[in-house]
Amino acid sequence: MPERPPLRALRRDPDDPAVRQALASLARGSDLVFPSRFQKWLRDFRQVHAHKKEEPSPQSPPPGHSVPAFYFPCGRPPLLPQDTEDVIALVECAFEGLPRGRAGLGDMAVVAKACGCPLYWKAPLFYAAGGERTGSVSVHTFVAMWRKVLLTCHDDAARFVRLLGRPGCSGLIQEDFVPFLQDVVNSHPGLAFLRAAKEFHSRYITTVIQRIFYTVNRSWSGMISREELRRSSFLQAVSQLEAEPDINRMTSFFSYEHFYVIYCKFWELDLDRDLTIDRSDLARHGDGAISSRMIDRIFSGAVTRARLPRKVGKLGYADFVWFLLSEEDKTTPTSTEYWFRCMDLDGDGALSMFELEFFYEEQAQRMAARGVEPLPFHDLARQVLDLVAPRCPGRITLRDLKQCGLAGEFFDAFFNVDKYLAREQREQAGSPQDTDSDPAASAWDRYAAEEYDFLVAEEAMAGDDNDDEGSDPVDLYGLADEEGDDLEPL
């Protein structure tokens, strides 16, 4: 028999905890008989208790309703389940045609096609299956790896990161791209002439990696995420490598001509051949077009992507790639961010009139030295404010510059006197910038094409005395004859 509650507990207020405990004991089966007022309290207690049981918990969704998944870091799973075993069967058939049922790196083209991947995924597939340890992979090892990838990664971006990245990482760092790009150098028909010049392999690979991160790594974090890959055109460019035998048509990332232009520009500035440049070296770029105050800001660490330069007061080749891409094409989002960081002296996320005047002061002096009367700062400030139309008067944010679409004109007015004066002359003459250029080509593509033609013509003139030897497309400048260490490690 249940223990009976003491009567003195029921003489108190019915809302008292002791009374509630006593009534609860009665609700569980007590056989005490109390006066009518206690029986009424008991009846009310049972009704309230039953009503609370029927109400759903506020912390849980109503029965029959659930919140659908909306975040898929490894890609949205297909509505219909993939027939993984059919894909695995194709892979096994590809291995059956190989000697001893094992695939070396040279055999991975057929395996990549069986997996339904672009051709130049072959190196990532090979290394993800452990091929670098034994020089080849067995069908069982590869199938186990690829089945796991198919079941956990549901789009190309997630699979590429899984194949190329390090275990447990959700993104790609610069070193992860080296094996992939080395395979491109070793096997792409458009780079056949480069394969014998091994001293240039790391330099080409470094250039391509910096261009990839410049375009794709929009967070400036030094690690490309799956989402950044999805938003970029990089994987489409990798797929196009198979169909395009001329590597120079792959202008977004892989062009050898673009690499050659960048490296020759760096080589012209690096007089001591230590593969770094200092302030005085960079001041000679473009015949001294960049102001000294902007050069100081470049060397301050404002745009070194969360890492310090290799040496104090020095820029390595990787940082020079970012500088040249930003300087010659100020229409890209990364270029706008690059120069905004340089001009934002106090790092508050907005350019004040003080910061604009700081940079324009030297710009005005440089124009006066060339015999050009500069505008007073207050007149120029009024012009740029009308040009940018900032949301907050007197403070220009990064968002303002991106939305106005005229960031190049804005930046040149404050630190590149040559481009500023050239633009002013074109506007006064009412002539377009370039009537013969391809309208679909970017400013960087036009610059690289012009510079490459100039370098080739210059080398042809210098090589008139050596016609018997011919011109080497790898080493037009004679760079391989120079002694010195290779480029800085990534």
Side-chain angles (χ1 to χ4, degrees):
M1 171 182 279
E3 182 180 356
R4 296 179 179 178
L7 290 176
R8 60 179 178 276
L10 299 178
R11 296 191 184 100
R12 305 173 189 169
D13 190 296
D15 291 331
D16 187 273
V19 175
R20 290 181 176 273
Q21 184 177 3
L23 293 175
S25 177
L26 290 174
R28 290 193 296 268
S30 177
D31 59 352
L32 284 177
V33 178
F34 296 101
S36 59
R37 65 179 181 277
F38 292 108
Q39 294 179 4
K40 180 178 182 301
W41 291 341
L42 178 60
R43 185 170 57 254
D44 294 341
F45 174 81
R46 286 173 173 169
Q47 291 176 352
V48 172
H49 188 66
H51 179 67
K52 285 184 176 181
K53 282 186 175 180
E54 295 174 358
E55 291 181 351
S57 173
Q59 286 80 12
S60 59
H65 295 78
S66 61
V67 178
F70 57 88
Y71 177 58
F72 304 96
C74 291
R76 183 184 292 273
L79 296 177
L80 298 176
Q82 289 181 313
D83 198 343
T84 305
E85 295 308 316
D86 286 349
V87 178
I88 297 301
L90 292 175
V91 172
E92 292 173 342
C93 288
F95 270 88
E96 288 176 0
L98 300 176
R100 304 186 309 278
R102 300 183 67 88
L105 182 56
D107 303 316
M108 289 303 296
V110 63
V111 177
K113 288 301 181 181
C115 293
C117 297
L119 175 63
Y120 285 92
W121 284 41
K122 53 191 174 69
L125 287 166
F126 179 74
Y127 292 119
E132 77 283 357
R133 294 190 297 271
T134 60
S136 63
V137 295
S138 67
V139 60
H140 303 292
T141 302
F142 185 87
V143 164
M145 180 277 297
W146 189 236
R147 178 181 279 113
K148 184 176 181 181
V149 171
L150 291 177
L151 293 176
T152 58
C153 303
H154 305 294
D155 65 0
D156 285 346
R159 291 169 186 168
F160 194 79
V161 171
R162 170 66 177 78
L163 294 174
L164 213 61
R166 302 183 179 187
C169 291
S170 59
L172 299 174
I173 59 176
Q174 295 188 14
E175 290 85 346
D176 294 334
F177 286 87
V178 174
F180 158 70
L181 292 173
Q182 185 63 59
D183 179 63
V184 173
V185 172
N186 293 338
S187 58
H188 194 279
L191 294 172
F193 64 90
L194 184 61
R195 286 195 267 281
K198 294 187 181 299
E199 66 274 13
F200 280 94
H201 289 190
S202 66
R203 307 177 189 192
Y204 172 81
I205 289 171
T206 299
T207 305
V208 175
I209 288 175
Q210 297 310 313
R211 296 193 67 186
I212 292 171
F213 274 77
Y214 184 89
T215 303
V216 179
N217 188 209
R218 302 295 306 116
S219 63
W220 288 57
S221 64
M223 175 178 285
I224 294 177
S225 67
R226 292 176 291 236
E227 188 58 36
E228 286 175 328
L229 271 182
R230 293 184 184 106
R231 290 196 297 262
S232 74
S233 63
F234 174 70
L235 292 179
Q236 289 84 344
V238 173
S239 299
Q240 190 182 352
L241 278 172
E242 179 182 359
E244 181 54 72
D246 185 0
I247 198 72
N248 292 317
R249 295 177 64 87
M250 308 289 294
T251 57
S252 298
F253 305 102
F254 301 103
S255 170
Y256 174 82
E257 292 181 357
H258 288 198
F259 149 70
Y260 190 73
V261 169
I262 296 171
Y263 193 72
C264 286
K265 289 298 179 182
F266 178 80
W267 198 255
E268 291 173 357
L269 300 179
D270 182 24
L271 296 180
D272 56 5
R273 301 296 182 252
D274 65 347
L275 296 173
T276 61
I277 57 176
D278 57 20
R279 287 175 172 81
S280 61
D281 293 331
L282 193 60
R284 291 185 288 105
H285 174 74
D287 295 326
I290 307 296
S291 69
S292 61
R293 293 183 178 181
M294 179 52 67
I295 290 175
D296 289 340
R297 285 295 294 164
I298 293 171
F299 280 87
S300 70
V303 286
T304 51
R305 304 178 313 287
R307 64 180 182 86
L308 296 176
R310 184 178 182 182
K311 299 177 182 178
V312 177
K314 297 281 189 176
L315 284 186
Y317 177 68
D319 289 313
F320 179 79
V321 174
W322 282 60
F323 162 77
L324 190 62
L325 293 173
S326 299
E327 167 57 17
E328 299 305 333
D329 188 355
K330 296 186 176 73
T331 64
T332 64
T334 304
S335 174
T336 304
E337 295 162 6
Y338 185 98
W339 297 117
F340 183 88
R341 289 187 177 202
C342 288
M343 292 189 68
D344 187 13
L345 298 176
D346 54 8
D348 66 345
L351 303 181
S352 65
M353 292 300 102
F354 167 79
E355 289 164 327
L356 298 185
E357 187 173 10
F358 173 80
F359 286 100
Y360 185 69
E361 184 179 8
E362 182 182 358
Q363 184 85 324
Q365 295 172 0
R366 288 158 63 85
M367 285 190 286
R370 300 189 181 197
V372 178
E373 182 179 358
L375 282 174
F377 173 72
H378 62 273
D379 291 338
L380 179 73
R382 190 159 42 245
Q383 288 184 8
V384 297
L385 290 176
D386 291 341
L387 182 77
V388 178
R391 292 176 298 168
C392 180
R395 289 174 58 84
I396 298 174
T397 65
L398 180 61
R399 180 179 179 182
D400 295 330
L401 286 172
K402 287 183 176 181
Q403 288 183 340
C404 77
L406 298 171
E409 290 83 342
F410 173 85
F411 289 128
D412 288 337
F414 290 99
F415 59 81
N416 191 315
V417 64
D418 287 345
K419 291 186 177 181
Y420 173 71
L421 293 178
R423 183 175 288 108
E424 289 292 313
Q425 292 174 0
R426 287 196 302 270
E427 291 179 355
Q428 292 176 4
S431 60
Q433 182 173 352
D434 190 354
T435 56
D436 297 330
S437 62
D438 182 3
S442 67
W444 166 255
D445 291 340
R446 293 192 294 270
Y447 167 81
E450 293 172 2
E451 287 297 321
Y452 185 78
D453 291 342
F454 172 78
L455 291 172
V456 171
E458 187 180 53
E459 177 62 22
M461 293 177 61
D464 286 341
D465 296 335
N466 300 317
D467 289 338
D468 294 338
E469 297 180 5
S471 177
D472 182 358
V474 176
D475 192 21
L476 298 176
Y477 248 37
L479 305 184
D481 296 334
E482 298 286 348
E483 295 182 358
D485 298 331
D486 208 339
L487 292 180
E488 62 185 76
L490 295 173

